[in-house]
């Protein structure tokens, strides 16, 4: 009987091989050949799933976004809008090894996404999804009278995501200089500035 191949599982394995290379060696080293070697596949087999390096990188970036969004769905939404946003923001911060890996991978893709249209579109889509998730909670808080006067939900959402990206970059470059505690404190202070 022929072996049943789970194609989505294979694509996920390849994306995770990309992440390991990006984390260890940088995105410039995530070639088709390097990913094939990392995953134990032949380059020809890999090209069956991803005909180009950018298709492979794009899927790896998309999978990182999807994993993060899946974690958001597990957050308790009954604790109130500020607590919900705090939990959301903490999921984005590089506070443990899994989140450090995701942050490093996603941030590594940014320079490449600035010059590669397909990656740029994926990055913009993922970032707009994040903005949208934050803005939805802020709109609900505004409607409940919980936000400070003058806080615009869309602008505040972008400000929070940009703050988190900056914190993750500086923590990744110097964990002793920007500690996890300082990242949490900065996010909490920003949320306190939004809420009445």
């Amino acid at each position: 009987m022929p072996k049943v191949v789970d194609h989505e599982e294979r694509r996920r394995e390849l994306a995770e091989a990309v992440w390991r290379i990006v984390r260890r060696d940088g995105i410039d080293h995530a070639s088709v050949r390097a990913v094939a070697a990392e995953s134990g596949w032949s380059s020809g087999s890999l090209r069956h799933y991803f005909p180009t390096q950018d298709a492979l990188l794009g899927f790896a970036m998309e999978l990182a976004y999807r994993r993060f969004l899946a974690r958001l769905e597990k957050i308790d939404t009954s604790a109130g809008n500020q607590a919900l946003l705090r939990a959301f923001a903490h999921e984005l911060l590089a506070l443990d090894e899994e989140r450090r890996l995701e942050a490093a991978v996603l941030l590594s893709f940014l320079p490449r996404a600035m010059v590669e249209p397909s990656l740029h579109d994926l990055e913009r889509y993922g970032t707009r999804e994040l903005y949208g998730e934050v803005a939805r909670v802020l709109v609900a808080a505004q409607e409940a009278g919980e936000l400070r006067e003058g806080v615009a939900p869309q602008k505040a959402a972008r400000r929070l995501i940009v703050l988190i990206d900056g914190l993750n970059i500086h923590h990744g470059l110097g964990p002793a200089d920007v500690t996890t505690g300082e990242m949490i404190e900065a996010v909490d202070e920003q949320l306190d500035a939004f809420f009445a």
Side-chain angles (χ1 to χ4, degrees):
M1 205 167 136
K3 183 179 178 184
V4 177
V5 177
D6 184 340
H7 295 290
E8 194 57 31
E9 176 67 17
R10 284 196 164 186
R11 288 166 53 89
R12 184 189 61 75
E13 288 171 12
L14 292 170
E16 290 174 352
V18 170
W19 297 349
R20 290 191 300 274
I21 292 169
V22 168
R23 179 76 166 134
R24 184 181 63 235
D25 304 322
I27 195 167
D28 291 337
H29 294 276
S31 66
V32 169
R33 180 175 295 166
V35 173
E38 179 77 20
S39 64
W41 290 32
S42 70
S43 294
S45 295
L46 190 151
R47 287 191 189 281
H48 172 74
Y49 291 95
F50 300 105
T52 66
Q53 181 186 25
D54 286 328
L56 175 60
L57 294 177
F59 181 75
M61 185 167 67
E62 180 185 348
L63 185 61
Y65 276 121
R66 286 196 330 226
R67 283 192 172 184
F68 166 71
L69 291 172
R71 281 203 317 273
L72 291 186
E73 292 176 5
K74 297 176 183 174
I75 293 174
D76 178 10
T77 59
S78 66
N81 291 315
Q82 187 169 359
L84 177 59
L85 270 185
R86 184 176 194 272
F88 181 102
H90 289 193
E91 282 299 327
L92 276 172
L93 288 173
L95 299 178
D96 58 28
E97 192 51 41
E98 180 182 4
R99 288 177 280 183
R100 270 191 283 285
L101 174 62
E102 285 176 4
V105 167
L106 288 171
L107 292 169
S108 295
F109 278 94
L110 295 182
R112 181 104 181 212
M114 292 177 78
V115 296
E116 171 53 45
S118 63
L119 293 179
H120 180 266
D121 292 345
L122 275 172
E123 188 284 326
R124 287 291 81 197
Y125 175 80
T127 298
R128 286 184 184 120
E129 286 286 302
L130 295 178
Y131 291 161
E133 291 291 325
V134 173
R136 277 188 277 283
V137 178
L138 287 167
V139 166
Q142 186 176 53
E143 290 170 353
E146 298 170 358
L147 293 187
R148 292 181 188 271
E149 186 70 32
V151 173
Q154 297 292 337
K155 184 177 179 182
R158 289 191 299 272
R159 183 173 293 160
L160 182 63
I161 297 302
V162 167
L163 171 64
I164 291 167
D165 283 349
L167 290 168
N168 283 338
I169 288 169
H170 287 278
H171 177 72
L173 291 170
D177 297 326
V178 179
T179 66
T180 56
E182 288 172 317
M183 292 196 297
I184 290 169
E185 181 181 14
V187 164
D188 289 351
E189 286 174 357
Q190 183 62 75
L191 290 174
D192 287 343
F194 293 158
F195 283 81

